Amino acid sequence: MKKTHFKKTALKYKDLVYSQAYYFINNREDAEDITQEVMMKLWRQIENIERSYVKAWLLRVTRNLCIDYSRRRRDYSLDDQNMESDGVQIAELIDPQANPEKEAINRDSLENVLKILNQLPEKMRNIVIMRDIQDLTYNLIAEAMDLPINSVKVYLHRGRKYLMKKYSDIENQSE
Amino acid sequence: MTCKQFDTMLVDFVDGNLSQKQKKEMRAHAETCPTCKAILADYQNMIGKLNDMPVQKCPDFVVDTVLDAVPDTRKSFIRTLSERFSAGMAWKVSFAAALAILVVSIVLFHPSQPPVIDVNQQYTEEEIAQATRDVKLAFGYFNHYAKKAEKAIEEQVLAKGVVEPVSSTIKIAFKPILNGGSK
């Protein structure tokens, strides 16, 4: 019974957790490790979590683990920040069917957005990912972040404006 | 509308969460203020870029590894049976009654009663030793299952208050036998 419920929940939300971790941490291996840790925690706690709260709980645990991983990475790697993610992994985000010119523009654009997304402060970054990439509701984000909806909107607005400014700086530099 | 008000309402405006009147005011302000108009365009452009980021597919092995690592939680037959009955009192009462009958039987046929010996019946020493071993083994089994029953009680299948006195009576009754006849 427990395992069936766990399996169903894990399969349903694995992409949500993985995406959140991937965009936050910007590293595929770490995102896989985080997803596994989240799922192990889910296994231990699943009987104590209300079913209506599972999604928010998963996002909350993912967020905490992402913060831990970021701290560790900051401690151990000061210079090679996201070296592999900037090149290899961006290519995987691009639709292989797209035409080469469009692909090049998309690639640059995504690279830049990912790069600046990674510079956002933790709360803003999590909220922007949840709202604008994962398309989650304000209610769910507020629950996951343990913030009132209005605060979520404020962080989101600031995050978007920060990204806008940084993005235009990068665009201006490359011109 | 001021530029500050425009900025404050931007999140709700792009989400379409404003009233018709407020939307009209926002559009009117954007038409008259080139700065806010540019901000709106950049803002929507940035949201578009973020929306274009695909949801990442988690590799299958990530969850498969976890599923392999967690134990199979299929419950034992006894546990399932216990849980099925634990909801109602009927099981508790019938189990307690069975134990009570057992205790009464033990008291009635307690080995301290003087045994009726058929003087005509002759057994060899070896037969008596074998019989003693068999009886001890039988009581050993009984003791083992009595402990299991105690465990079931601890797991709240039966109320402790009902069974503990019965359980201790069994132990007292069997003590001389299990200790090889010594009290």
Side-chain angles (χ1 to χ4, degrees):
Chain A
M1 184 68 184
K2 181 185 173 187
K3 193 164 182 177
T4 313
H5 176 37
F6 168 72
K7 189 176 177 183
K8 221 170 152 184
T9 312
L11 292 175
K12 187 176 177 185
Y13 294 122
K14 68 186 170 90
D15 291 344
L16 173 91
V17 170
Y18 180 75
S19 271
Q20 188 67 25
Y22 173 75
Y23 282 115
F24 187 92
I25 217 101
N26 206 0
N27 178 288
R28 210 164 278 281
E29 275 181 18
D30 283 352
E32 287 166 4
D33 289 347
I34 288 169
T35 309
Q36 271 185 349
E37 274 192 55
V38 171
M39 293 308 171
M40 283 309 293
K41 281 177 193 276
L42 175 68
W43 166 254
R44 287 193 285 271
Q45 291 293 319
I46 194 157
E47 288 168 317
N48 305 322
I49 310 166
E50 260 183 61
R51 291 197 181 205
S52 58
Y53 180 65
V54 168
K55 204 172 173 182
W57 184 91
L58 286 167
L59 287 165
R60 187 178 284 204
V61 174
T62 308
R63 178 196 170 202
N64 291 336
L65 284 171
C66 282
I67 295 169
D68 289 348
Y69 269 70
S70 300
R71 281 194 191 125
R72 262 183 260 165
R73 288 179 70 205
R74 247 203 320 261
D75 289 345
Y76 293 108
S77 118
L78 296 171
D79 303 320
D80 59 349
Q81 201 183 7
N82 310 321
M83 258 169 54
E84 58 184 303
S85 63
D86 288 346
V88 182
Q89 295 177 31
I90 290 289
E92 293 167 28
L93 295 174
I94 309 287
D95 177 9
Q97 304 292 314
N99 73 58
E101 195 184 346
K102 207 176 167 188
E103 189 189 319
I105 295 166
N106 273 345
R107 188 192 165 95
D108 285 349
S109 176
L110 280 175
E111 268 183 31
N112 291 339
V113 175
L114 268 182
K115 216 182 276 176
I116 53 174
L117 188 63
N118 222 243
Q119 294 167 12
L120 275 180
E122 180 272 315
K123 270 186 195 156
M124 279 185 206
R125 200 188 325 172
N126 259 312
I127 290 171
V128 167
I129 295 167
M130 285 188 211
R131 180 64 191 159
D132 288 338
I133 301 180
Q134 304 252 55
D135 198 23
L136 303 177
T137 63
Y138 286 115
N139 276 332
L140 181 62
I141 299 169
E143 220 176 343
M145 299 293 293
D146 201 16
L147 286 170
I149 290 180
N150 276 340
S151 304
V152 169
K153 287 184 179 177
V154 169
Y155 279 114
L156 178 68
H157 185 53
R158 285 184 194 157
R160 283 169 175 170
K161 284 177 79 176
Y162 180 93
L163 292 176
M164 265 164 59
K165 190 182 175 309
K166 289 283 174 183
Y167 186 79
S168 79
D169 289 349
I170 292 174
E171 295 283 283
N172 291 338
Q173 276 169 16
S174 58
E175 278 169 15
Chain B
M1 176 177 274
T2 64
C3 293
K4 199 173 175 203
Q5 284 170 325
F6 181 89
D7 185 68
T8 309
M9 291 164 82
L10 209 46
V11 173
D12 286 324
F13 180 70
V14 293
D15 279 336
N17 286 338
L18 295 179
S19 67
Q20 286 301 322
K21 192 184 166 211
Q22 287 170 318
K23 281 180 195 169
K24 216 171 167 181
E25 284 172 2
M26 289 288 284
R27 284 193 203 102
H29 180 81
E31 283 308 311
T32 54
C33 175
T35 312
C36 288
K37 191 178 183 178
I39 287 173
L40 177 62
D42 286 349
Y43 199 80
Q44 285 173 321
N45 185 35
M46 179 47 67
I47 294 170
K49 284 185 194 308
L50 291 163
N51 288 167
D52 284 345
M53 301 276 203
V55 168
Q56 296 295 301
K57 295 275 170 212
C58 177
D60 288 341
F61 78 88
V62 174
V63 171
D64 288 347
T65 314
V66 180
L67 285 171
D68 288 343
V70 298
D72 198 348
T73 54
R74 193 181 297 161
K75 287 167 184 163
S76 70
F77 174 73
I78 291 173
R79 198 175 168 81
T80 312
L81 200 67
S82 305
E83 281 182 5
R84 201 168 290 167
F85 280 106
S86 64
M89 280 299 287
W91 160 244
K92 297 180 182 181
V93 172
S94 55
F95 192 82
L99 276 177
I101 290 165
L102 188 67
V103 171
V104 170
S105 313
I106 291 162
V107 170
L108 285 177
F109 300 103
H110 196 278
S112 62
Q113 300 284 329
V116 182
I117 300 165
D118 183 358
V119 288
N120 298 321
Q121 186 77 50
Q122 295 293 320
Y123 294 102
T124 62
E125 295 251 320
E126 199 183 325
E127 281 173 331
I128 291 167
Q130 180 60 45
T132 309
R133 277 197 298 275
D134 289 347
V135 169
K136 277 186 180 172
L137 188 67
F139 281 121
Y141 275 115
F142 180 82
N143 198 28
H144 172 71
Y145 286 107
K147 274 182 185 163
K148 274 203 161 182
E150 258 179 41
K151 204 179 171 196
I153 293 155
E154 276 167 17
E155 287 172 358
Q156 294 175 350
V157 175
L158 280 169
K160 270 190 176 180
V162 175
V163 178
E164 263 179 2
V166 180
S167 169
S168 56
T169 311
I170 292 173
K171 276 185 188 163
I172 292 162
F174 277 93
K175 201 177 175 186
I177 303 156
L178 297 170
N179 291 345
S182 62
K183 291 207 174 186

